[in-house]
Amino acid sequence: SFNSSESSAPSKSAGTTAHKHVPCPCLSLTVYRLQQEAPRPKRMTCPQEMETRPKYYGREFHGMLSRESADELLGGAEGAYLVRESQRQPGTHTLALRFGHQTLNYRLFYDGKHFVGEKRFETVHDLVTDGLITLYIETKAAEYIAKMTTNPIYEHLGYTSLLKDKMGHRLCRRRTEPHRVTFQREDRKITTSPLVRHSTLKDCPSEKQSSYDKIHNFKVHTFRGPHWCEYCANFMWGLIAQGVHCSDCGLNVHKQCSKLVPSDCQPDLRRIKKVFSCDLTTLVKAHNTTRPMVVDMCIKEIELRGLQSEGLYRVSGFSEHIEDVRLAFDRDGEKADISANVYNDINIIAGALKLYLRDLPIPVITFHVYSKFIQAAKMPNPDTRLEAIHEGLLLLPPAHYETLRYLMMHLKKVTMFEKDNFMNSENLGIVFGPTLMQPPEQNALATLNDMRHQKLIIQLLIEHEDVLF
């Protein structure tokens, strides 16, 4: 909304046209009509050159004026505006705007663009145009706006129906959920009830579909031409930043409606520009898989020809070749060729897998559970420590949980060839700790202090993967 910082905006009840709200095209068109009827901005120019005028203002700047003088200059014309230096706070600027038969005063800011609230504009004139539209619609259709999200079309039309139609053509997959496990120590071995052990997920070509929830990646968006909200079916008003747009699936909604849209984003592959550095859940939803294809393909190749390679994951491959693998995945996706015919050195594939995991915008062990894992690592009692680690795993998003589970199964297999590759769980913990776990705030000292705890967490995940997952 167009909020004043020097005076209150007019009462929304003043001049309100009552609308009995039922979201329908005719009422939504009423909002569109109101936008067309909104007062047009009228710039009141200063007749003399002002030496104190900032370079980012034009002739609408009138220097230091009182509210009363500004009100007199505007002359009662709806939509008339000027910019003045505040007498109450010299050095600050105020937008004086005539609307609803009164003069409204807004604290005006500039940081390369002009703004009085969240929206930023190239010119003061555009700011006033958008403000008049907002004030006019909020005044004339206040009741309608207040109720427009109460009867959404989202479940019946538009995006959700399209999503269900798309998903109906895909194979169903049994969802594997993490189960709660109770730990007891008997003769220094961890035991669990067979009723709560997590069954191993076997790879099956027919079990590809991901049923993970994913929140929409909404960003403020400026729509060209008239647009209607895909949640409530109502017109999205304003000159710029009329609503938000999901950059992953393309859903367009009002900003206030975005808070009500369920976490059912189904990313469109055409909108996913790359594989590396892409959010993990977004990638698996877009490709309709349970795990990122990079993880599956690299692990498959490593287990095919690299488990006995000395220093596996510790020895680095050539960075140029690792970069080639990254580009191949970004360009070709699951069709990328990472076979021995192209990359004979298995360390290149291992390096590409580590790079992928390290470059995730949200680490596999996510920021919001990082501290829980670090605290678990500090616990002196082994049973309590494993319990705490297990509790942390239950808090991971499903795609992150499944990726971590599959990776730990693989690393456990790597340790079975320790006589050949010289990589035990502790060595792998040193390698993968900083890769899979990153603190929410980049603090060099804290990161350094956490490294031994990160190593221990990954070491324990590998050693007890059959129990913890």
Side-chain angles (χ1 to χ4, degrees):
S1 63
F2 203 75
N3 296 321
S4 170
S5 56
E6 285 207 2
S7 69
S8 301
S11 169
K12 291 183 180 179
S13 61
T16 299
T17 300
H19 293 282
K20 187 176 182 180
H21 177 77
V22 178
C24 69
C26 60
L27 286 177
S28 187
L29 285 171
T30 298
V31 178
Y32 176 68
R33 177 178 56 79
L34 288 174
Q35 173 162 310
Q36 304 304 109
E37 294 175 356
R40 297 292 184 264
K42 304 176 183 65
R43 186 172 73 146
M44 304 303 292
T45 59
C46 183
Q48 59 200 46
E49 190 66 33
M50 302 297 299
E51 294 183 1
T52 59
R53 183 179 73 191
K55 62 181 179 181
Y56 41 83
Y57 293 132
R59 297 297 294 273
E60 70 274 4
F61 182 77
H62 287 249
M64 186 174 287
L65 284 179
S66 65
R67 290 187 173 207
E68 294 73 23
S69 298
D71 186 45
E72 186 177 337
L73 284 170
L74 293 176
E78 283 288 281
Y81 73 93
L82 59 82
V83 176
R84 63 183 177 85
E85 184 176 354
S86 174
Q87 282 189 330
R88 294 182 178 182
Q89 295 177 291
T92 64
H93 301 105
T94 299
L95 171 67
L97 172 65
R98 192 71 185 174
F99 178 82
H101 308 296
Q102 60 180 309
T103 299
L104 308 175
N105 292 278
Y106 298 90
R107 178 76 175 273
L108 189 59
F109 302 91
Y110 181 81
D111 64 356
K113 291 190 176 181
H114 303 275
F115 63 100
V116 298
E118 291 183 354
K119 293 186 179 183
R120 282 162 165 72
F121 300 82
E122 295 291 343
T123 67
V124 174
H125 196 79
D126 285 347
L127 183 153
V128 174
T129 302
D130 186 83
L132 287 170
I133 291 171
T134 300
L135 289 169
Y136 190 75
I137 291 176
E138 289 183 350
T139 299
K140 296 291 185 180
E143 183 181 351
Y144 175 81
I145 292 169
K147 294 180 179 179
M148 70 182 187
T149 60
T150 59
N151 186 21
I153 62 158
Y154 189 77
E155 292 297 330
H156 313 292
L157 301 172
Y159 177 78
T160 297
S161 296
L162 179 63
L163 174 63
K164 289 178 180 177
D165 183 57
K166 285 181 179 179
M167 299 303 281
H169 293 290
R170 296 176 178 176
L171 295 170
C172 293
R173 174 187 178 277
R174 184 183 67 239
R175 174 95 175 261
T176 303
E177 294 284 358
H179 295 277
R180 195 170 299 277
V181 181
T182 301
F183 294 87
Q184 295 175 338
R185 183 164 286 260
E186 295 176 359
D187 298 326
R188 301 191 63 78
K189 290 184 179 179
I190 301 297
T191 62
T192 58
S193 165
L195 296 176
V196 294
R197 284 287 296 271
H198 188 288
S199 60
T200 302
L201 176 67
K202 296 181 179 179
D203 290 327
C204 174
S206 64
E207 293 186 346
K208 278 257 183 174
Q209 182 185 325
S210 164
S211 56
Y212 305 148
D213 289 342
K214 181 189 178 306
I215 61 173
H216 290 270
N217 187 19
F218 285 124
K219 295 178 180 176
V220 175
H221 190 76
T222 294
F223 299 95
R224 303 302 176 190
H227 264 73
W228 277 259
C229 175
E230 294 175 54
Y231 180 82
C232 70
N234 292 294
F235 179 65
M236 301 168 77
W237 62 88
L239 188 66
I240 69 166
Q242 302 95 331
V244 293
H245 169 82
C246 178
S247 58
D248 292 337
C249 71
L251 185 68
N252 301 316
V253 296
H254 289 111
K255 186 176 180 180
Q256 60 267 42
C257 290
S258 68
K259 300 171 185 176
L260 305 174
V261 175
S263 300
D264 61 356
C265 178
Q266 181 61 40
D268 187 338
L269 265 177
R270 293 171 297 179
R271 300 176 185 274
I272 307 300
K273 304 301 182 185
K274 55 187 177 180
V275 172
F276 278 60
S277 302
C278 177
D279 172 68
L280 196 155
T281 302
T282 299
L283 188 68
V284 299
K285 291 282 285 185
H287 286 270
N288 196 31
T289 57
T290 56
R291 295 175 298 275
M293 100 279 282
V294 179
V295 174
D296 280 4
M297 290 174 64
C298 288
I299 287 178
K300 181 180 179 181
E301 196 67 28
I302 291 166
E303 293 187 354
L304 179 67
R305 58 186 174 96
L307 288 175
Q308 295 175 299
S309 178
E310 184 175 338
L312 180 64
Y313 288 117
R314 179 176 55 79
V315 176
S316 299
F318 288 111
S319 59
E320 296 87 351
H321 294 165
I322 293 173
E323 180 66 13
D324 287 343
V325 175
R326 183 187 71 80
L327 293 173
F329 275 115
D330 283 344
R331 182 183 63 247
D332 304 325
E334 59 189 10
K335 295 181 180 179
D337 186 357
I338 59 172
S339 66
N341 295 331
V342 183
Y343 303 103
N344 185 55
D345 183 3
I346 198 63
N347 294 312
I348 295 170
I349 307 305
L353 176 58
K354 289 189 295 181
L355 176 64
Y356 170 76
L357 297 170
R358 187 167 59 249
D359 280 0
L360 287 171
I362 301 175
V364 175
I365 295 178
T366 56
F367 295 126
H368 83 283
V369 298
Y370 177 86
S371 61
K372 295 183 182 297
F373 279 91
I374 295 299
Q375 291 303 317
K378 295 177 180 179
M379 293 179 177
N381 183 282
D383 295 336
T384 306
R385 185 166 56 209
L386 286 177
E387 287 274 12
I389 292 173
H390 182 68
E391 291 296 322
L393 290 174
L394 296 177
L395 298 175
L396 289 174
H400 288 248
Y401 178 93
E402 172 58 23
T403 299
L404 185 61
R405 184 197 68 81
Y406 190 73
L407 180 63
M408 292 304 110
M409 285 177 59
H410 163 67
L411 295 181
K412 182 71 168 285
K413 193 175 296 185
V414 171
T415 64
M416 294 177 183
F417 292 83
E418 182 187 351
K419 289 183 179 179
D420 301 301
N421 58 37
F422 300 103
M423 295 300 289
N424 57 27
S425 59
E426 183 176 4
N427 293 336
L428 291 169
I430 293 171
V431 172
F432 280 93
T435 299
L436 299 174
M437 300 178 67
Q438 298 170 27
E441 297 178 0
Q442 294 300 324
N443 182 299
L445 183 60
T447 302
L448 190 63
N449 291 333
D450 286 350
M451 286 185 67
R452 60 193 178 96
H453 303 306
Q454 294 170 351
K455 184 266 294 182
L456 179 59
I457 290 296
I458 303 306
Q459 179 181 343
L460 292 173
L461 288 174
I462 295 170
E463 292 173 354
H464 303 291
E465 62 82 18
D466 57 331
V467 174
L468 286 168
F469 291 94

